Amino acid sequence: MYENLVNQEAGKLLAADIRHNRLPGAILFAGPEASGKLTAALETARILSCHEKPQGKWICECPSCLQHKALVCSNLMLLGPRDCSLEISAAAKTFTEAHFINAKFIDAARYLFLRSVRKLTLRFNGILWEGDSNLNKIGSIIEEINENLEQLDFPRELPDNGTVKKLCEEIQKLCTKLEDDFLYDSIPINQVRNMEGWAHIKSEEGRKTVIIENADRMQTSVRNALLKILEEPPEDVVFILLTSKRNAIMQTILSRVRTYNFTDRTGEQQREVIQRVFHNDDFTGSLNDYLLTYLPVTPSEIKTQAREFYNSIARGEICNIDEIVKKCEKFYPRIELRLFLANIAFFMRPMLNSQAGSEAAAQAMQLLRNCSDNITLYNQSPASALEILLRDMFALNKSFGGVFCAAM
């Protein structure tokens, strides 16, 4: 069990609880980003549905395990926001390069790419999105992604190198559009209600698993709706919540789940993950840093543009918003926006050395959240949202007597 979960003791604890039938119906995986929580959750779903004895070997080829490994099992429901595009890009490179040299690990690389895409498309299950005004638009994109994936899926013979590369590039574009245009930054309450209806329909075979990623981002109404389900959970359904911020989970939810803690891997362990998963022997940084290399704009350039924006506030100067947006490739994928705003928050740290600065920084953080919401939730253009942010930051700095200090 959990052979593909690298350097995490939580896998051993989970395996022991499953073998001794001690796994409860609701569990929480808590730990840093990129620590293997989603991998463990998907593996748990597969193991619990495995038809063979002993249960849960990765090499198992029972129908349920094959469906789970391909992430096409109807007993699996995946909700919650996630930055999928970088993993998809990294997996595409691994797959296309392995195909080009006919590497021994080609099947593993093929699975890696297929699964990376389906980690995104699973979140757009028609059951979850029933009643959403975007359902038809989403459906057409999903259909196009699936048509392209079908040409790369098992057991079909792979086409030539050029066709494989072209298909991967087209799938990546569609996935970026799907994620940036339609994936909510917080789970809508209708999705939780739709999931509850699905969970109460008894499965014809095997156990159902509901995975909720970034559970800490849920709004109060959504948390309360989830709490109601956890208080009276359906039979034969396992709920797995994932978070990198356990303290942000509502206490009443924490009281109804068993927590499995995931630790931050050492640098050497992260390099091992990069080597085993992406077959890259040269990169020496963290897994997060490796994925960030697949951004269309480098993290250092995003930081430079964030500094330009922040310093214009500190100096009382108007910066060129259009130029910043252009150099950040319009903040696609949206992880670029999060990095940009996080850098601005970082530049505000010296303000915390005074009471006035601390109060101004607290209000500025709310302005940063509003900017993010305007773009990700209300579909405002990045340029318009940043102009509003700049205006409000100017007013805030003035009201506190110029507490913003230029960043070097």
Side-chain angles (χ1 to χ4, degrees):
M1 293 186 190
Y2 297 99
E3 294 95 331
N4 63 340
L5 181 62
V6 183
N7 296 317
Q8 284 294 351
E9 288 297 314
K12 296 178 182 178
L13 298 175
L14 284 162
D17 285 345
I18 291 172
R19 287 193 190 99
H20 296 94
N21 200 29
R22 295 194 302 247
L23 194 75
I27 56 180
L28 174 70
F29 294 171
E33 293 183 2
S35 57
K37 299 187 296 295
L38 181 57
T39 296
L42 294 171
E43 263 300 86
T44 302
R46 183 188 68 81
I47 292 166
L48 293 176
S49 295
C50 181
H51 297 167
E52 299 296 321
K53 300 294 180 183
Q55 190 179 34
K57 289 185 177 180
W58 177 253
I59 59 173
C60 179
E61 294 190 356
C62 75
S64 178
C65 281
L66 291 177
Q67 289 174 1
H68 271 283
K69 282 190 277 191
L71 297 187
V72 294
C73 184
S74 60
N75 280 349
L76 176 64
M77 187 70 77
L78 178 59
L79 300 81
R82 177 184 175 87
D83 297 317
C84 298
S85 58
L86 299 186
E87 182 181 347
I88 292 171
S89 296
K93 182 179 180 183
T94 302
F95 173 44
T96 54
E97 289 185 351
H99 183 249
F100 183 75
I101 64 174
N102 194 26
K104 293 181 180 179
F105 56 85
I106 180 62
D107 284 350
R110 192 175 179 181
Y111 260 126
L112 177 69
F113 179 66
L114 294 170
R115 283 170 61 90
S116 70
V117 173
R118 286 170 181 154
K119 286 177 186 177
L120 173 64
T121 58
L122 272 172
R123 298 164 207 270
F124 293 93
N125 187 310
I127 295 171
L128 285 177
W129 289 76
E130 185 176 352
D132 193 290
S133 60
N134 291 314
L135 183 58
N136 289 336
K137 295 177 183 178
I138 291 168
S140 64
I141 297 175
I142 293 288
E143 183 178 0
E144 197 170 350
I145 290 173
N146 287 336
E147 286 175 358
N148 288 322
L149 276 185
E150 186 178 351
Q151 299 182 60
L152 302 174
D153 206 352
F154 294 95
R156 183 189 289 261
E157 190 83 16
L158 286 174
D160 61 81
N161 293 322
T163 302
V164 167
K165 187 175 182 179
K166 185 177 179 180
L167 285 168
C168 287
E169 289 173 350
E170 182 61 25
I171 290 168
Q172 286 174 258
K173 290 178 184 177
L174 291 166
C175 286
T176 298
K177 180 174 179 57
L178 188 65
E179 179 179 322
D180 287 343
D181 291 356
F182 300 109
L183 188 60
Y184 293 109
D185 197 51
S186 178
I187 302 172
I189 192 168
N190 283 345
Q191 290 194 6
V192 173
R193 289 171 177 162
N194 291 341
M195 175 272 288
E196 180 181 13
W198 173 83
H200 278 96
I201 300 173
K202 190 169 181 61
S203 171
E204 294 181 1
E205 186 178 26
R207 300 179 71 176
K208 287 184 172 182
T209 303
V210 176
I211 300 172
I212 302 178
E213 196 162 16
N214 288 305
D216 50 277
R217 297 190 197 174
M218 292 185 292
Q219 302 296 322
T220 301
S221 59
V222 181
R223 294 178 184 181
N224 290 333
L226 177 63
L227 180 62
K228 182 180 177 182
I229 302 171
L230 297 180
E231 287 174 341
E232 300 177 8
E235 291 185 16
D236 296 325
V237 180
V238 177
F239 293 87
I240 307 177
L241 280 60
L242 314 182
T243 183
S244 57
K245 300 176 181 177
R246 186 177 184 276
N247 291 338
I249 302 291
M250 194 163 66
Q251 189 60 43
T252 45
I253 290 180
L254 287 177
S255 67
R256 286 165 175 79
V257 298
R258 178 183 298 168
T259 299
Y260 293 85
N261 290 311
F262 287 66
T263 58
D264 203 357
R265 297 181 176 108
T266 66
E268 184 178 345
Q269 289 172 337
Q270 295 203 48
R271 286 193 291 273
E272 181 184 350
V273 173
I274 294 169
Q275 290 167 354
R276 286 183 55 173
V277 176
F278 298 104
H279 298 274
N280 185 306
D281 298 326
D282 301 323
F283 193 81
T284 57
S286 70
L287 181 55
N288 269 334
D289 288 342
Y290 176 72
L291 293 176
L292 288 176
T293 64
Y294 289 89
L295 282 172
V297 180
T298 65
S300 61
E301 178 62 24
I302 294 171
K303 187 174 184 179
T304 296
Q305 296 308 313
R307 183 185 291 109
E308 174 72 17
F309 182 91
Y310 176 80
N311 284 347
S312 73
I313 299 166
R315 295 166 180 160
E317 302 170 351
I318 300 295
C319 62
N320 190 332
I321 296 291
D322 290 336
E323 187 67 16
I324 289 175
V325 172
K326 181 180 178 181
K327 287 184 176 178
C328 290
E329 297 284 347
K330 299 181 180 180
F331 296 101
Y332 284 107
R334 286 294 179 232
I335 188 174
E336 289 186 7
L337 175 66
R338 282 187 278 278
L339 289 174
F340 180 84
L341 298 177
N343 277 308
I344 294 175
F346 176 79
F347 294 142
M348 293 192 300
R349 285 187 176 183
M351 296 165 56
L352 302 178
N353 294 326
S354 68
Q355 182 175 346
S358 296
E359 292 176 7
Q363 293 185 36
M365 289 300 296
Q366 184 58 54
L367 294 178
L368 294 178
R369 285 190 286 269
N370 292 344
C371 179
S372 177
D373 288 345
N374 285 340
I375 297 171
T376 60
L377 298 181
Y378 304 117
N379 294 321
Q380 194 171 42
S381 72
S384 297
L386 288 180
E387 285 174 1
I388 293 172
L389 177 63
L390 187 65
R391 180 200 66 197
D392 291 345
M393 287 283 210
F394 272 144
L396 181 66
N397 191 34
K398 183 178 180 180
S399 68
F400 278 89
V403 293
F404 285 73
C405 302
M408 301 302 294

